Amino acid sequence: MSDLLTNPVPNLPPNKRYIATHDGSGKSIIHSSPPQLYTPMGPNGLARSYATPTMPAHLTNNVDVTSYLSSSSSSPTTHTTPTIVTPTPSGSNLLIVDLAPGGMSHMHRTVTLDYSICVIGRIKMEMDGGAFVELGPGDHVIQRGTMHKWYNASQTEPARLIGVILPCEPFEIPGTGKLLTEEHLST
């Protein structure tokens, strides 16, 4: 856990996360609010704020919370490179992406349906087809297995993106004859 940070990008407020559940009498309560842990990505940070191992999620006896807390207490699930957090393939994922001024992600695609929402700053998204969009707070992108890269549009202020990542069925990418697979490009 020594490589995980609670706030990798200066000047961004830390995230507060509260996990709600039920007590033994059926009343709604806060189960826990563990600190948000980020995997550093250069000057940026990526945190899996929550994940379920399956969809639909199994909430009985807090099995989802137990699964998440046991996997996040040691380290997020990582791909072959320690800076890539791979979504739980058959479950749901809530990711927090903090971008330092001028920061960027790598070009990537996953076998998922992603709801990506800018909450702080201005974020640009580049697609492998050359399209760019710029997001301000509240603006969002629905990623449907597409190749994309995130940029902080500011050279002086940090930015934050929230992503809800859900599994999707692989499909043939139009015009390629290739089935959708997870890809991470180095540049």
Side-chain angles (χ1 to χ4, degrees), residues 5 15 20 37 45-46 54-55 61 73 79 81 91 98 111 116 126 132 134 141 146-147 152 154 165 171 173 176 186:
L5 304 170
N15 283 298
L37 298 176
L46 176 66
T54 61
M55 287 297 295
N61 297 322
S73 64
H79 199 269
T81 307
D98 284 354
V111 185
S116 302
E126 174 186 4
F132 273 90
E134 186 168 329
V141 174
T146 55
M147 186 70 78
N152 183 341
S154 172
I165 317 300
F171 60 91
I173 300 169
T176 68
S186 59

Side-chain angles (χ1 to χ4, degrees), residues 58-118:
H58 300 285
L59 308 181
T60 305
N61 297 322
N62 293 323
V63 295
D64 61 314
V65 177
T66 302
S67 173
Y68 170 71
L69 292 176
S70 67
S71 67
S72 67
S73 64
S74 57
S75 172
T77 304
T78 56
H79 199 269
T80 55
T81 307
T83 58
I84 299 172
V85 175
T86 302
T88 304
S90 57
S92 67
N93 299 268
L94 177 60
L95 302 181
I96 312 299
V97 180
D98 284 354
L99 296 169
M104 70 181 78
S105 73
H106 61 284
M107 186 70 75
H108 63 284
R109 85 166 90 225
T110 52
V111 185
T112 58
L113 170 65
D114 306 355
Y115 304 118
S116 302
I117 306 145
C118 177

